[in-house]
């Protein structure tokens, strides 16, 4: 038993040393951080009440030199322009806002440093906090009144792809993903449990390495 334990310990030490060596040869740390920003296009029920918006966020990736798939966590804020909804002489303008956190797997088709572009696909699960500010004018409200709508937190999924451009000390990327948020909005734009919401962020970012 003692010899077995010594053998297992030796194997573990050898594996860790090998991983550290591989990590150093491929650029050091397996943890990388990044930032991104871009435009977000609403679809479905969200598109009925909102116009094109923007996104800004941060990410962290974990890449083992022995794995073909890396793992990435994102946190992002999406702010949308509003659309006027009129009924019975009253006009309400909703401006949705979404904060999401996602956990994703990333498969990159090539890691060859000699190539100038590395295409990849990405997908995973997320949590989405939805809220909206609104302004009201017309018969049943005071002109210029602005208030905040309710807030709800929903689950969703996302998937898409992008291209990474390796540079000295960091990498740039462009990426498009579709986010599907389950039971996010009802037909009049308030938080509810009727219709799912969708959005397509087109983001540009950098990852520090």
């Amino acid at each position: 038993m003692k010899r077995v334990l010594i053998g297992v310990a030796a194997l573990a030490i050898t594996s860790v040393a090998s991983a550290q060596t591989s990590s150093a040869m491929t650029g050091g740390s397996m943890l990388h951080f990044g930032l991104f920003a871009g435009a977000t296009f609403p679809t479905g029920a969200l598109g009925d009440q909102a116009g094109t918006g923007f996104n800004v966020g941060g990410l962290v990736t974990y890449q083992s030199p022995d794995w073909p798939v890396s793992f990435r966590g994102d946190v992002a804020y999406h702010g949308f322009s509003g659309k006027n909804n009129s009924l019975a002489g009253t006009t309400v303008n909703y401006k949705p806002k979404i904060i999401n956190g996602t956990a994703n797997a990333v498969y990159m088709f090539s890691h060859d440093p000699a190539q100038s572009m590395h295409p990849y696909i990405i997908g995973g699960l997320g949590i989405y906090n939805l809220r909206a500010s609104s302004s009201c004018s017309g018969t049943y409200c005071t002109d210029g009144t602005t208030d905040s709508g309710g807030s709800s937190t929903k689950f969703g999924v996302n998937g898409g792809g992008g291209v990474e451009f390796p540079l000295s000390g960091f990498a740039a990327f462009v990426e498009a993903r579709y986010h599907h948020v389950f039971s996010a909005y009802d037909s009049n734009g308030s938080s509810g449990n009727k219709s799912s919401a969708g959005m397509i962020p087109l983001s540009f970012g950098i990852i520090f390495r």
Side-chain angles (χ1 to χ4, degrees), residues 27-106:
S29 174
M30 293 184 291
L31 279 176
H32 307 288
F33 301 89
L35 302 169
F36 59 87
T40 302
F41 304 94
T43 65
L46 183 59
D48 292 337
Q49 63 165 323
T52 301
F54 69 93
N55 66 81
V56 60
L59 63 88
V60 58
T61 68
Y62 177 83
Q63 173 69 65
S64 169
D66 300 322
W67 297 346
V69 175
S70 61
F71 300 94
R72 181 171 130 186
D74 297 342
V75 175
Y77 172 84
H78 307 265
F80 298 91
S81 58
K83 285 184 177 180
N84 290 328
N85 296 274
S86 298
L87 180 65
T90 301
T91 298
V92 179
N93 184 281
Y94 293 99
K95 292 185 178 179
K97 304 169 186 177
I98 297 177
I99 299 174
N100 70 264
T102 61
N104 311 289
V106 182

Side-chain angles (χ1 to χ4, degrees), residues 4 8 23 39 63 74 92 100 133 135 151 154 178 181 188 198:
V4 172
V8 171
S23 177
Q63 173 69 65
D74 297 342
V92 179
N100 70 264
S133 61
S135 59
S151 171
K154 305 293 182 178
Y178 174 71
V181 186
N188 67 5

Side-chain angles (χ1 to χ4, degrees), residues 23 40 52 101 114 117 128 151 157 163 173-175 193 202 206:
S23 177
T40 302
T52 301
M117 296 188 300
Y128 301 78
S151 171
V157 295
V163 180
F173 68 89
V174 57
E175 176 182 286
N193 293 303
L202 175 61
I206 56 174

